[in-house]
Amino acid sequence: MEQTLSTLYTATKKQFKLNLIAGEKGIDTLITWVHLIEDVSTTDFIRGNELIITTGFRYEGEKWLYDFITAIVARESKGLIINTGVYIQTIPEKIIDYCNRLNFPLFTMPWEIHLEDIMQHFINEIIQANRQVVDESAMLVNTLISQEASNSLDALRDNGYPVDSPCALIMIQPELSPDHVDDQHTFKEIAIDTKNMLHRHHARFNVVTHRQLIIVLIRQTSNDERNQHAERLMRLLKKRNPLLHIHMVCGPEATDLGTLHKSYKRCISAMKPAYLDSLGICYYDKLGIEKLIMEVEDTEILSNLSTHLLDPLIDYDKKHNANYLDTLRRYIENDGSIHAVAEETFTHRNTVNYRMKKIREMLPLDLNDGEYRFRYRMAFYIMDYLN
């Protein structure tokens, strides 16, 4: 697990005489680095999720500190340690109130503590935690994508990972370009936002990235809790990225980590109906006939079934610039109601009747038969899925 501010503070508050004076609600957050910053003009170098330390070398009163905190918060820093005793003696109450409103952790540390000591200690802890995460993530990805991952499972078990506990996946796919620098940055921010939110709600989880996917592995939780995490995540990510299309799938529960690759494959497949229906979150357990289609690994079988039934209309539409395929789809979706199709398409009933007469002449199966209508419904599902 990556290093969090709460973990660093709890482990070292006595050693470095740290005192949390504001923003306690925001302390359970990831920390990616530590910076010493003394001037507002240098805050542009903050990338986000850093812990900032300052001596207040340029302190000029309450307004200076207010502007300094405002600047580092705007750059997504996650906390500030003020080395008090020389340049800043006490922290004004208005600054404490301000940080509490922002849920921005503010610490004081006495002048006697050497900055080099705390920075070196914190950075070493961050680097060590990141190394463990990289190693663990690689083994988890291998476990997910491969049915032959016994070595990774054994290594995870030896490191104390609960491989035999029930688990499930939440898969996130933002519509981003992997070749665009800004999109790569957004992808990393989404992954960090995901981790921070789950930390705040005390979930037992891992977050790994694979290709353009952010994969959340939730451990020892109920389906309801997992779904709640997914809904919170979607609300947060949409708020943070209002113009970005984000698709999310909640996969079926696995009895243990060794069987989770099945859930992974089903999540990958369920991304297609999530895209097709423009769903914010696709819950695999709530899917209907799509589950059957997704379980067929030989897509040629599916393609043959769909094209046999629908190709006559597809060919006719291409040759005559018509839209009979859409008419048939609406007819099937409305259980054979001519009236419903006419209303949906703003078309006279006689026109719809004429089109359906022509469609019936071209199709190999009788639409009056409920079983055959089901086959056409299935054909449309398959066509959408394969496309």
Side-chain angles (χ1 to χ4, degrees), residues 196-211:
N196 279 330
M197 195 229 75
L198 292 168
H199 271 298
R200 287 195 297 271
H201 288 89
H202 309 290
R204 288 162 290 193
F205 73 96
N206 292 84
V207 174
V208 298
T209 57
H210 180 58
R211 297 176 180 171

Side-chain angles (χ1 to χ4, degrees), residues 121 152 178 205 238 246 267 274 298:
H121 183 88
S152 294
F205 73 96
K238 283 185 174 180
I246 297 174
C267 283
D298 188 348

Side-chain angles (χ1 to χ4, degrees), residues 49-315:
N49 293 279
E50 292 107 326
L51 174 64
I52 308 303
I53 300 178
T54 188
T55 66
F57 174 68
R58 295 185 176 275
Y59 181 68
E60 298 173 355
E62 183 179 302
K63 185 180 184 307
W64 181 93
L65 189 54
Y66 176 88
D67 291 342
F68 183 83
I69 292 172
T70 300
I72 63 175
V73 168
R75 299 295 298 180
E76 299 286 343
S77 65
K78 297 302 180 182
L80 172 63
I81 298 175
I82 299 178
N83 197 198
T84 58
V86 175
Y87 304 111
I88 301 179
Q89 301 293 333
T90 58
I91 311 301
E93 284 297 324
K94 288 185 179 179
I95 295 296
I96 294 174
D97 292 341
Y98 179 55
C99 290
N100 278 327
R101 289 199 303 273
L102 297 175
N103 293 325
F104 181 71
L106 178 62
F107 306 85
T108 58
M109 182 180 68
W111 192 261
E112 66 196 68
I113 301 298
H114 294 172
L115 295 182
E116 181 181 351
D117 293 341
I118 187 172
M119 290 186 69
Q120 183 176 350
H121 183 88
F122 279 11
I123 289 172
N124 285 342
E125 290 295 315
I126 291 169
I127 290 173
Q128 183 178 349
N130 287 345
R131 284 174 179 165
Q132 292 175 349
V133 166
V134 168
D135 292 342
E136 192 172 84
S137 295
M139 290 185 284
L140 286 171
V141 168
N142 187 46
T143 301
L144 291 177
I145 66 178
S146 173
Q147 298 184 33
E148 304 294 334
S150 57
N151 290 340
S152 294
L153 282 171
D154 290 341
L156 287 166
R157 184 180 286 109
D158 291 342
N159 288 335
Y161 194 91
V163 299
D164 299 317
S165 301
C167 48
L169 296 177
I170 299 172
M171 190 173 286
I172 305 166
Q173 187 168 46
E175 290 188 19
L176 296 167
S177 169
D179 300 323
H180 197 283
V181 175
D182 288 343
D183 281 1
Q184 289 178 5
H185 181 67
T186 300
F187 184 81
K188 292 178 181 177
E189 285 185 335
I190 291 172
I192 291 174
D193 285 342
T194 298
K195 295 172 187 176
N196 279 330
M197 195 229 75
L198 292 168
H199 271 298
R200 287 195 297 271
H201 288 89
H202 309 290
R204 288 162 290 193
F205 73 96
N206 292 84
V207 174
V208 298
T209 57
H210 180 58
R211 297 176 180 171
Q212 286 303 103
L213 295 171
I214 297 167
I215 305 167
V216 182
L217 191 159
I218 300 284
R219 305 191 304 271
Q220 298 169 318
T221 187
S222 68
N223 285 343
D224 287 343
E225 288 175 321
R226 180 207 58 197
N227 293 348
Q228 288 172 9
H229 287 318
E231 289 159 10
R232 292 190 194 101
L233 269 174
M234 184 58 83
R235 287 195 296 270
L236 170 67
L237 297 180
K238 283 185 174 180
K239 181 179 179 181
R240 299 269 285 172
N241 308 274
L243 301 179
L244 181 63
H245 292 289
I246 297 174
H247 304 281
M248 188 179 293
V249 172
C250 285
E253 186 180 67
T255 55
D256 54 53
L257 193 62
T259 59
L260 194 60
H261 67 275
K262 295 179 181 178
S263 181
Y264 170 78
K265 290 175 65 177
R266 286 167 178 165
C267 283
I268 292 290
S269 297
M271 271 297 173
K272 293 184 179 180
Y275 270 82
L276 289 172
D277 295 337
S278 300
L279 299 174
I281 306 175
C282 177
Y283 300 94
Y284 181 85
D285 291 338
K286 295 181 181 180
L287 291 175
I289 198 171
E290 297 94 341
K291 286 183 184 179
L292 296 176
I293 297 171
M294 289 186 290
E295 289 298 321
V296 180
E297 295 187 4
D298 188 348
T299 56
E300 187 176 351
I301 296 174
L302 296 175
S303 179
N304 289 340
L305 175 61
S306 177
T307 56
H308 169 67
L309 295 177
L310 300 179
D311 265 9
L313 291 187
I314 294 172
D315 292 341

